[in-house]
């Protein structure tokens, strides 16, 4: 089976864009060897409250399970519990270049205007490369905004392979099509991607939002001055975003939704969207609460850690042998 690796930071709440991506993970678990990682080490490139980080790490793992990932089919684990991530990251730092790291768009964005910028923020794409390469990963689900980091991982792998012979599997991107929810935009500004870090609570919908907050956010969503409902990313980005979300949650195609709401105003579209979104999210929340209360997430993470350590230690030993480290 081909192997898929993906990691999500446990900072901020999981929003609709994340959720739709994660739902695509569920579709892959029957025919691929899937490893899903809570990447808490990436989180500390920016200051975190320790207790909040612990809580959100467990909550993210529980949400992975609540959306339908089956622990019997996938490997779910916490990054910091597998030491090989940090160890391989250091080795790969020695095969990475300052110039290529300084060109990373997300580093430029996150460091802009900051008085203090940590080296962790600068080098975290190398840690991301280690995350991926540590598991002989064939495919990495990424959005277009993350493709640059995957390209770096590929470059490092090929650079290492060229010097020491075949060592790393060179991963391929798995980029969702737009109609599969690759880009869910902010509700308050549909020209921007929905983001955990947006301070406006109505710019996004998270999986742990109350029904009342979800309703308020959707009803306040930006549309446009026209009154007709049509999918047009250039001229009607707000309405197009709502149609994309509706399609993902209802299973109806965007074309079917255009027909359904022909001649109707945005009010009806938004009201129905509130019902569709709340119905599905409530199911996820109920399952999430059951998983948290039962404590089963801890056993799942323990089993995931054991399998991740087994795979990663083998790959790490392969790398160490190539560069001349003693492994016995």
């Amino acid at each position: 089976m081909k192997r898929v690796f993906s990691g999500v930071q446990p900072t901020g709440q999981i929003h609709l864009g994340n959720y739709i991506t994660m739902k695509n993970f569920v579709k892959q678990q029957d025919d691929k060897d899937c490893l899903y990682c809570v990447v808490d080490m990436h989180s500390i490139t920016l200051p975190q409250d320790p207790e909040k980080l612990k809580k959100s790490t467990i909550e993210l793992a529980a949400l992975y399970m609540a959306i339908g990932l089956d622990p019997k089919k996938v490997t779910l684990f916490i990054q910091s519990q597998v030491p090989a991530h940090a160890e391989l990251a250091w080795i790969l730092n020695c095969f990475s270049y300052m110039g290529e790291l300084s060109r990373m768009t997300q580093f430029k964005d996150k460091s802009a205007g900051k008085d203090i910028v940590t080296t962790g923020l600068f080098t975290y794409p190398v840690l991301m490369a280690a995350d991926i390469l540590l598991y002989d990963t064939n495919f990495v689900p990424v959005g277009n905004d993350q493709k640059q980091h995957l390209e770096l991982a590929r470059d490092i792998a090929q650079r290492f392979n060229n010097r020491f012979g075949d060592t790393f599997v060179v991963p391929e991107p798995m980029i969702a099509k737009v109609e599969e929810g690759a880009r869910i935009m902010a509700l308050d500004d549909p020209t921007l991607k929905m983001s955990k870090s947006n301070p406006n609570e109505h710019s996004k919908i998270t999986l742990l939002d109350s029904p009342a907050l979800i309703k308020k956010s959707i009803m306040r969503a930006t549309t446009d001055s026209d009154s007709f409902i049509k999918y047009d990313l250039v001229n009607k980005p707000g309405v197009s975003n709502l149609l994309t979300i509706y399609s993902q949650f209802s299973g109806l195609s965007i074309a079917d939704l255009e027909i359904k709401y022909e001649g109707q105003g945005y009010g009806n579209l938004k009201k129905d969207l509130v019902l569709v979104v709340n119905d599905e999210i409530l199911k996820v929340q109920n399952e999430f609460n059951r998983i948290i209360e039962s404590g089963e997430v801890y056993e799942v993470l323990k089993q995931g850690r054991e399998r991740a350590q087994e795979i990663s230690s083998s790959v790490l030993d392969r790398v160490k042998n190539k560069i001349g480290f003693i492994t016995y």
Side-chain angles (χ1 to χ4, degrees), residues 165-226:
D166 288 343
T167 307
F168 291 118
V169 172
V170 180
E172 297 289 338
M174 182 183 287
I175 301 176
K177 299 176 183 178
V178 172
E179 60 268 24
E180 293 173 343
R183 288 184 70 83
I184 300 298
M185 312 306 286
L187 297 177
D188 62 334
D189 184 352
T191 65
L192 301 174
K193 192 172 181 181
M194 189 175 286
S195 170
K196 293 180 182 180
S197 59
N198 192 321
N200 180 4
E201 68 175 352
H202 298 297
S203 71
K204 54 187 175 291
I205 293 171
T206 80
L207 294 190
L208 299 181
D209 281 348
S210 68
L213 180 56
I214 291 172
K215 179 179 180 179
K216 190 171 183 180
S217 297
I218 290 176
M219 297 307 295
R220 291 179 57 172
T222 298
T223 49
D224 52 57
S225 57
D226 293 328

Side-chain angles (χ1 to χ4, degrees), residues 58-72:
I58 296 300
E59 287 181 345
L60 176 55
L63 281 171
Y64 265 121
M65 296 167 62
I67 65 171
L69 289 180
D70 185 348
K72 296 178 182 178

Side-chain angles (χ1 to χ4, degrees), residues 89-122:
W90 169 249
I91 294 171
L92 297 186
N93 267 317
C94 299
F95 293 88
S96 306
Y97 304 146
M98 294 282 289
E100 60 191 357
L101 293 181
S102 65
R103 291 192 291 271
M104 294 292 107
T105 301
Q106 287 195 27
F107 170 73
K108 294 177 182 178
D109 293 343
K110 291 183 178 181
S111 62
K114 299 284 195 312
D115 294 329
I116 298 175
V117 178
T118 67
T119 52
L121 186 61
F122 184 70

Side-chain angles (χ1 to χ4, degrees), residues 30-172:
D30 289 323
D31 61 0
K32 292 182 177 63
D33 181 12
C34 299
L35 290 93
Y36 297 121
C37 183
V38 181
V39 289
D40 53 342
M41 292 168 67
H42 286 287
S43 299
I44 64 169
T45 57
L46 298 174
Q48 303 294 334
D49 177 274
E51 293 307 314
K52 286 183 179 179
L53 181 58
K54 289 177 183 178
K55 182 174 184 288
S56 61
T57 296
I58 296 300
E59 287 181 345
L60 176 55
L63 281 171
Y64 265 121
M65 296 167 62
I67 65 171
L69 289 180
D70 185 348
K72 296 178 182 178
K73 297 178 180 179
V74 306
T75 302
L76 179 61
F77 66 102
I78 299 171
Q79 181 188 30
S80 64
Q81 293 190 336
V82 182
H85 286 259
E87 199 168 350
L88 182 59
W90 169 249
I91 294 171
L92 297 186
N93 267 317
C94 299
F95 293 88
S96 306
Y97 304 146
M98 294 282 289
E100 60 191 357
L101 293 181
S102 65
R103 291 192 291 271
M104 294 292 107
T105 301
Q106 287 195 27
F107 170 73
K108 294 177 182 178
D109 293 343
K110 291 183 178 181
S111 62
K114 299 284 195 312
D115 294 329
I116 298 175
V117 178
T118 67
T119 52
L121 186 61
F122 184 70
T123 62
Y124 88 96
V126 182
L127 176 57
M128 180 175 170
D131 299 336
I132 296 166
L133 300 179
L134 200 50
Y135 296 97
D136 287 337
T137 301
N138 301 107
F139 299 109
V140 182
V142 292
N144 287 316
D145 58 331
Q146 298 169 315
K147 191 176 180 182
Q148 187 183 33
H149 288 162
L150 181 58
E151 286 300 323
L152 176 68
R154 288 170 50 83
D155 289 344
I156 294 172
Q158 290 167 340
R159 186 178 301 149
F160 194 99
N161 289 350
N162 288 339
R163 180 170 174 182
F164 296 103
D166 288 343
T167 307
F168 291 118
V169 172
V170 180
E172 297 289 338

